[in-house]
Amino acid sequence: MKKHSRAFWPLLIAALVFYAVVQGLILSGMIGNYEINNLIFISINIILAVSLHLVIGVTGQFSIGHAGFMAVGAYLSAIVTMKLELPFIVAILVGGLVAALAGLIVGIPSLRLRGDYLAIATLGFAEIIRIIFLNIDYVGGAAGMQVGKMTNWTYTFFFMLITILVIVNFTRSRHGIAAISIREDEIASDAMGINTTYYKVVAFVIGSFFAGVAGALFAHNFYIVLPSQFGFLKSVDILILVVLGGLGSLSGAVISAIFLTLVSTFLQNYPETRMIIYSLVLIIVMLYRPQGLMGTKEITDYFRGWTSKGGKGNGKDTTT
């Protein structure tokens, strides 16, 4: 595993300070429920965007079934808390692990496919999951399942931070470099002796785990979980976060998740024209930034001048 850049610790400390400031404002009553819900929603979207970034941006596998893994995490965590009455933290981990298992089962056969065929296979999986929950009376069927509100700012912030740290470290590890080589040229990677199927499945399983975690946090942020919340449009929403941020840029996925969540929240005051304005914002951004908000750069690239000691970075390597 590569050594972290010198910007890693300042950014981590800044994130913890940000958490402490927000937590202090919440405890003092200066931030209301509306702002807290927006922060939680932004954090969940960041988890979803960063986990899909690992599959699409790092490994180069075009998957549009992320909502299916999110649904697995949401329903399994709801069963753990509401039916088995276990602690919420256990429910989050169970949701993530079962989603990871689903990712393994789906990934082994489907990741031998490429491009459009893989997209269709993952989309089919997400629809199968949604239809299964739609027809199970134990979880409420189409009427949905009642869930207690347990998600709070602390849970979402630290799981968001863990997601980012895990995926940053995976990307910088030997496994991540192999995954990036698959993204650049899978045939050449295979010819060099890299087990391409293994690394694609590993990235897919990790991405599925964190999608399940996001699903658990999402389900317990409301009072009900419904199959219709995890349809095709949800997968497209998550895909837009990654593409708009810039394929291959984790920082871009984070910025895109924050940007689009704020745009969507602002447009709630205009329900009649909300989707039209939202689509226009996407079109304008893609016209002027077709490579995404960050392209292939990371935010730490802008600190390269004072974090490196004269190294000859070529601007293409992934940094923390």
Side-chain angles (χ1 to χ4, degrees), residues 139-265:
V139 294
M145 183 176 177
Q146 297 292 327
V147 182
K149 182 173 173 58
M150 301 179 188
T151 301
N152 58 28
W153 163 242
T154 299
Y155 276 119
T156 50
F157 175 83
F158 282 103
F159 273 104
M160 176 191 67
L161 192 61
I162 291 169
T163 304
I164 293 173
L165 290 176
V166 168
I167 292 179
V168 164
N169 280 283
F170 177 86
T171 305
R172 292 175 58 81
S173 70
R174 179 170 57 86
H175 303 285
I177 293 170
I180 292 172
S181 74
I182 295 169
R183 178 192 69 189
E184 296 299 324
D185 194 325
E186 184 172 347
I187 296 174
S189 301
D190 199 19
M192 291 290 291
I194 295 174
N195 188 339
T196 56
T197 301
Y198 169 77
Y199 287 110
K200 286 193 291 185
V201 170
V202 169
F204 200 69
V205 169
I206 294 174
S208 302
F209 173 82
F210 287 113
V213 169
L217 295 169
F218 178 83
H220 289 80
N221 191 41
F222 302 102
Y223 294 97
I224 190 168
V225 56
L226 297 163
S228 58
Q229 294 171 321
F230 308 103
F232 171 67
L233 290 179
K234 186 63 182 177
S235 290
V236 173
D237 281 345
I238 304 169
L239 179 64
I240 288 173
L241 298 179
V242 179
V243 174
L244 189 68
L247 289 175
S249 172
L250 184 143
S251 308
V254 173
I255 293 171
S256 174
I258 296 171
F259 172 68
L260 285 183
T261 306
L262 291 176
V263 168
S264 181
T265 301

Side-chain angles (χ1 to χ4, degrees), residues 34 261-270:
Y34 178 76
T261 306
L262 291 176
V263 168
S264 181
T265 301
F266 174 76
L267 293 178
Q268 285 180 352
N269 296 324
Y270 309 94

Side-chain angles (χ1 to χ4, degrees), residues 237 240 244 260 263-264 267 273-287:
D237 281 345
I240 288 173
L244 189 68
L260 285 183
V263 168
S264 181
L267 293 178
T273 56
R274 176 174 173 268
M275 291 311 297
I276 296 174
I277 298 174
Y278 185 82
S279 302
L280 285 175
V281 170
L282 292 177
I283 292 171
I284 291 170
V285 171
M286 294 312 294
L287 281 175

Side-chain angles (χ1 to χ4, degrees), residues 297-309:
K297 288 186 176 180
E298 298 292 351
I299 198 167
T300 48
D301 291 344
Y302 298 100
F303 298 94
R304 191 179 295 276
W306 59 272
T307 55
S308 63
K309 296 180 179 179

